[in-house]
Amino acid sequence: MTGFSDPAAIELLHGMLRIPSPSFAESELAGHVVEAMRGAGLTARIDGAGNVIGEIRRGPGPTVMLLGHMDTVPGDVPVRVVGDRLYGRGAVDAKGPLATMICAAAGSTGFRGRIVVVGAVEEETTMSRGAVEIRRTHEPPDALIIGEPSGCDTVVLGYKGKIDLRYHVRCEATHPSNVVPKASELAARAWTELLELLGPEASHARFDSPGPTLTSINGELTDATAEFSIRTPPSFDGERLVTALSERSAPGTLQVVNAVRACRVGRNDPVVRALSVAIRAQGGSPRAKVKTGTSDMNTLAEEWTMPMATYGPGDSSLDHSDREHIKLSEYLFGIRVLTRALTELDGHLTREGR
């Protein structure tokens, strides 16, 4: 098989949406994706972490990796088609982009080289174990495209980083009216101290500013825990922040649960250019943007430095929502864009000798 017809591409995504795959429970979907890849002409397997790895080689040439994720946040969005809209948990984040990658790889007859398609596990978790395993076990490809909802005419150049913190404090038992600080109060105070350290410009609305979130706070007078997540811009000094917050939040203990740096490429990155050319070839007007969230692009960019960018159909404002859906016309547009982009990228990488 050399590609998916439009109805077959829609059925691929529809079938993926029918299989629930919240983080840590992706195995049923993984088996389904393996069979879909094999039916499309890719060799496919499941690795030790539970990631699906599909490959297709069309002669000597560069290696391009297309990496999306299979897991979703919890929650049921009934799978249904309403006009041009396909509803379902993961339609946007990120089964739609992953299905786009499978279809593009299968239809990429203009590409001369090796395409690796990865359906990663646990992207929606703190540790991104799937992408970490790919980084550990695979040679760096010549180019990398991450599958996340950018919008079918838009390329994502980068993401904020992230620091996940856990603050825990214990206090001696005392009467609520005692003037000494209680554990619950100290946990709340640690959040206030974090906001003060980040300053009044902290915001999730801007790429160049840190954005804090109070993820959870639990406890009572003698024992309390608070969890914070800070989205960080490039060059942010995370170690300095953690040291300062630790000093201010005594007598509790502050633990760094996970940290990943921000990442960003330029508009002249070969992957960005290939995607932009492909969008224009399909009649679109290519745009570029950065995102204030975090993705597996951050995890891989920690150690990989090849050309890379993020692309995928879908409106990211619908991520994790009960209204999550993808427009089928945009999904099919995205498949055509990514298929053409692979051909463009092959030519560029071959000229560069990669």
Side-chain angles (χ1 to χ4, degrees):
M1 183 176 178
T2 58
F4 285 79
S5 65
D6 286 357
I10 292 169
E11 179 52 36
L12 171 66
L13 178 53
H14 202 280
M16 291 168 65
L17 294 178
R18 285 195 295 263
I19 302 172
S21 58
S23 302
F24 311 112
E26 304 98 332
S27 59
E28 182 181 355
L29 177 62
H32 179 83
V33 170
V34 163
E35 291 306 311
M37 286 181 172
R38 289 172 178 169
L42 285 72
T43 61
R45 61 185 175 86
I46 298 174
D47 72 8
N51 298 315
V52 172
I53 315 294
E55 297 186 23
I56 189 165
R57 183 179 288 278
R58 300 189 186 277
T63 294
V64 175
M65 179 177 286
L66 311 176
L67 185 144
H69 65 91
M70 297 186 293
D71 64 319
T72 70
V73 296
D76 178 43
V77 178
V79 179
R80 63 199 189 278
V81 176
V82 180
D84 187 41
R85 299 179 178 184
L86 173 57
Y87 286 79
R89 175 62 74 220
V92 170
D93 188 15
K95 295 180 183 182
L98 177 57
T100 298
M101 290 177 158
I102 296 169
C103 293
S108 60
T109 55
F111 182 87
R112 293 292 175 265
R114 174 171 166 259
I115 301 171
V116 180
V117 184
V118 178
V121 298
E122 298 177 33
E123 190 274 345
E124 298 287 2
T125 71
T126 300
M127 303 305 293
S128 294
R129 188 171 67 96
V132 170
E133 179 72 1
I134 294 298
R135 191 181 68 188
R136 185 183 72 83
T137 58
H138 286 248
E139 288 294 319
D142 297 298
L144 171 68
I145 300 177
I146 299 295
E148 290 281 356
S150 61
C152 64
D153 62 351
T154 303
V155 183
V156 175
L157 306 179
Y159 292 85
K160 278 185 174 181
K162 183 174 67 164
I163 303 173
D164 294 312
L165 302 175
R166 180 179 295 124
Y167 174 75
H168 180 241
V169 61
R170 286 192 175 125
C171 298
E172 292 185 5
T174 187
H175 193 277
S177 64
N178 195 320
V179 296
V180 300
K182 322 304 185 296
S184 53
E185 295 169 348
L186 290 171
R189 185 182 300 174
W191 169 245
T192 302
E193 295 288 358
L194 174 62
L195 295 180
E196 185 174 316
L197 285 167
L198 293 175
E201 298 301 315
S203 171
H204 285 293
R206 293 169 48 187
F207 187 77
D208 59 354
S209 297
T213 298
L214 176 58
T215 307
S216 69
I217 184 165
N218 298 284
E220 33 75 42
L221 301 184
T222 61
D223 193 291
T225 300
E227 295 185 328
F228 315 128
S229 183
I230 305 100
R231 304 291 173 148
T232 58
S235 302
F236 183 81
D237 192 339
E239 291 185 5
R240 181 178 179 183
L241 173 68
V242 172
T243 298
L245 185 57
S246 294
E247 293 172 351
R248 289 194 180 199
S249 57
T253 58
L254 189 69
Q255 175 190 1
V256 179
V257 178
N258 187 46
V260 63
R261 294 190 301 271
C263 62
R264 182 171 184 170
V265 300
R267 290 174 181 267
N268 286 326
D269 181 282
V271 174
V272 176
R273 294 209 310 268
L275 286 164
S276 298
V277 168
I279 291 167
R280 194 173 289 111
Q282 297 304 318
S285 298
R287 299 182 297 155
K289 66 182 178 182
V290 291
K291 285 194 170 185
T292 57
T294 307
S295 79
D296 278 339
M297 182 172 169
N298 300 76
T299 302
L300 296 171
E302 291 268 282
E303 296 184 10
W304 288 359
T305 58
M306 75 290 295
M308 66 177 72
T310 292
Y311 176 78
D315 178 356
S316 61
S317 70
L318 298 171
D319 288 4
H320 305 183
S321 80
D322 292 336
R323 300 179 295 107
E324 187 173 5
H325 64 270
I326 193 167
K327 290 185 176 179
L328 292 172
S329 56
E330 294 185 1
Y331 167 57
L332 297 173
F333 183 93
I335 292 171
R336 294 193 294 272
V337 166
L338 190 53
T339 303
R340 172 65 182 268
L342 286 167
T343 301
E344 295 289 333
L345 198 51
D346 179 25
H348 176 87
L349 295 175
T350 300
R351 289 192 299 273
E352 293 293 316
R354 288 182 178 267

